[in-house]
Amino acid sequence: MLAADVIVAAESTKFVMAYPGVGLTPDIGVSWLLPRAVGQVRALEYALTGRQLTAADALDWGLVTTVVADEEALSTARELAVKMAAGPVFALGSARRLIRDSWERTRAEAGEVEARTIAEAVQTDDAQQRLAAFTKK
């Protein structure tokens, strides 16, 4: 889930970092991803104590983006996926890349990449159609 862009959790979901309970260390990028998602202090507490997080805790920590009733989790996730799939592909993909890559850039470099990307985005058919519809409102 640390590599996901948007996460829907059911209210009853519990999150546990099982490593301390089984005598193992983080793997598959958790030691890099977790502190970036929740901060170093929370990441260390979570990794060292085996604390169980509720869905509400995970939302508060920024590990999930939405918490819904258990019976609504699947339909909410599907609706979100359909909405994103129908969205402006270039713009959404580029926004994701810009945000994720920003950790590796200075603010000035990020601004330069943004400027090049939006100049490219405005030329797409999708953006032209959406801009025209927006200006008609």
Side-chain angles (χ1 to χ4, degrees), residues 12-69:
S12 66
T13 304
K14 304 288 187 231
F15 299 90
V16 177
M17 184 179 285
Y19 301 113
V22 296
L24 295 175
T25 61
D27 65 347
I28 61 170
V30 169
S31 66
W32 190 88
L33 292 166
L34 187 62
R36 284 165 175 74
V38 301
Q40 182 170 308
V41 172
R42 282 182 166 168
L44 284 166
E45 177 199 4
Y46 197 43
L48 299 176
T49 67
R51 175 181 173 179
Q52 184 179 77
L53 299 178
T54 65
D57 293 332
L59 181 64
D60 181 54
W61 281 28
L63 287 171
V64 301
T65 51
T66 306
V67 175
V68 297

Side-chain angles (χ1 to χ4, degrees), residues 52-127:
Q52 184 179 77
L53 299 178
T54 65
D57 293 332
L59 181 64
D60 181 54
W61 281 28
L63 287 171
V64 301
T65 51
T66 306
V67 175
V68 297
D70 290 5
E71 62 275 5
E72 296 174 13
L74 188 55
S75 64
T76 300
R78 281 186 179 144
E79 288 170 14
L80 185 56
V82 167
K83 179 180 178 183
M84 289 171 54
V89 174
F90 180 85
L92 296 180
S94 295
R96 180 185 189 278
R97 180 182 48 80
L98 288 167
I99 291 169
R100 288 197 174 265
D101 290 354
S102 71
W103 295 95
E104 307 299 322
R105 294 189 173 101
T106 66
R107 184 173 178 183
E109 290 168 341
E112 290 171 15
V113 174
E114 285 178 357
R116 286 194 306 269
T117 304
I118 199 166
E120 194 175 341
V122 77
Q123 296 175 43
T124 65
D125 290 339
D126 196 19

